[in-house]
């Protein structure tokens, strides 16, 4: 990730990763990097983000973590 914030959502112009699904908010979630630590952040979405079956608002994440946004599974990796 070459910037501090990576937006995931339905909006083409407002997202770095676009998911074409009406259940996904325009700006649904964000991966944020603060001082070398990555966080998954819910951006006030209607349907939320799940990690291990639990809804989250903000969570430190590491390579290999898997999240669900509606019916879409996302795997976090760092290169």
């Amino acid at each position: 990730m070459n910037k501090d914030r990576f937006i995931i959502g339905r909006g083409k112009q407002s997202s770095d990763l676009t998911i074409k699904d009406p259940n996904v908010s325009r700006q649904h979630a964000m991966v944020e990097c603060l001082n070398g630590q990555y966080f998954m952040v819910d951006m006030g979405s209607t349907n939320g983000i799940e990690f291990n079956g639990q809804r989250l608002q903000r969570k430190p994440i590491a390579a290999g973590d898997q999240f669900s946004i509606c019916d879409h599974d996302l795997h976090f990796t760092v290169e």
Side-chain angles (χ1 to χ4, degrees):
M1 191 165 91
N2 59 359
K3 55 186 189 172
D4 294 337
R5 294 177 169 199
F6 184 86
I7 307 297
I8 303 164
R10 190 182 72 236
K12 280 184 191 175
Q13 278 82 28
S14 58
S15 299
D16 297 299
L17 172 62
T18 304
I19 301 174
K20 292 182 181 181
D21 182 330
N23 295 313
V24 174
S25 297
R26 262 189 236 90
Q27 289 191 332
H28 197 102
M30 167 177 63
V31 176
E32 183 175 44
C33 183
L34 294 172
N35 300 320
Q37 171 67 60
Y38 292 95
F39 296 86
M40 177 64 81
V41 182
D42 187 326
M43 296 182 72
S45 67
T46 302
N47 293 312
I49 308 165
E50 286 192 4
F51 178 75
N52 289 336
Q54 294 198 328
R55 194 163 171 163
L56 65 91
Q57 292 299 313
R58 180 182 181 87
K59 178 183 184 343
I61 57 176
D65 285 351
Q66 179 176 320
F67 301 88
S68 296
I69 294 180
C70 300
D71 292 330
H72 308 277
D73 292 332
L74 303 173
H75 299 268
F76 180 68
T77 58
V78 180
E79 292 183 11

